[in-house]
Amino acid sequence: MSNAPAEVLPTEEIDLAAANQIIDKFLTLPGNLMPVLQGIQDEYGYIPRPTIDLVAERLNVYPSQIYGVLTFYAQFHLKPRGKFIIRVCVGTACHVQGAERIVDTFFDKLHIGHAETSPDLRFTFEKVACLGACGMAPLAMVNDDTFGKMTVQKVEGIIADYSQRPMK
C-alpha cells in the first residue's frame, strides 16, 4: 500500500444557470435523464462534472447511475471537445483506399491523436468505423461537411480552412 496522497481532480467552475433551466424544462417528464443530459451537452459542449452532481440532486438519482448512462452511450462526452470535430472513416472500403495514411497525416498536422482535442479547443479528431459513404472512400468529415476521395494532400487544406474559421 502506497503512502502517496490520492490525486485530487480540480473542480470546474461553471455557471449552472443553464443546466438548471434545462432540468426545469424536463423535470416532470417521465424518463427525463436522457433529455436532460442531451440538453446539458448541447449547452456546454460536454457534460461538466458539476452538472452531474446537480442533475443527481435535482432528479433524485445517484451520480453513479448518471455515469453509467454517460459511459454507456458514445454520444456523451466528459471532457471538452473541439469546435470542429474531424472524423476519418477507417472501415473496410476506406481502409483499402489508404485511410490510415489520411489518419496519420491529420495526427502529424494537428499534433493530436484519436479521441483527443487540441489545447485551443479548435479540433477534436476521431477515427470512426464507418461514415456510410463507401463509394467516396476514403472519407473524412468535419462536423457536417463531407470530404470524399481524400488524399494526404487535401488534409493540409482542410486544416488551413478550419483554422481560419471563427470559434464562436
Side-chain angles (χ1 to χ4, degrees), residues 3-130:
N3 288 333
E7 181 180 356
V8 176
L9 296 175
T11 303
E12 294 176 81
E13 295 290 329
I14 63 164
D15 182 0
L16 293 174
N20 272 308
Q21 289 177 344
I22 293 163
I23 295 167
D24 289 344
K25 180 178 174 182
F26 296 104
L27 194 57
T28 60
L29 180 72
N32 55 7
L33 182 58
M34 286 294 286
V36 165
L37 293 175
Q38 289 166 334
I40 288 172
Q41 181 158 286
D42 287 347
E43 177 67 29
Y44 296 95
Y46 72 111
I47 309 289
R49 170 63 203 223
T51 64
I52 295 169
D53 297 332
L54 178 67
V55 170
E57 180 182 320
R58 299 259 338 259
L59 299 186
N60 196 29
V61 297
Y62 291 109
S64 60
Q65 291 172 291
I66 296 171
Y67 276 107
V69 170
L70 295 175
T71 57
F72 180 79
Y73 293 102
Q75 68 177 303
F76 293 118
H77 305 284
L78 294 168
K79 297 187 304 187
R81 293 171 42 85
K83 164 104 171 126
F84 303 108
I85 311 298
I86 300 171
R87 294 178 180 92
V88 174
C89 177
V90 293
T92 303
C94 290
H95 174 75
V96 299
Q97 295 292 329
E100 280 305 318
R101 290 191 317 271
I102 307 301
V103 168
D104 291 342
T105 305
F106 272 111
F107 284 175
D108 290 344
K109 301 290 183 187
L110 294 173
H111 307 291
I112 57 174
H114 169 67
E116 292 181 351
T117 299
S118 60
D120 63 359
L121 298 179
R122 181 171 290 276
F123 297 108
T124 294
F125 184 86
E126 299 173 341
K127 296 191 302 183
V128 296
C130 185

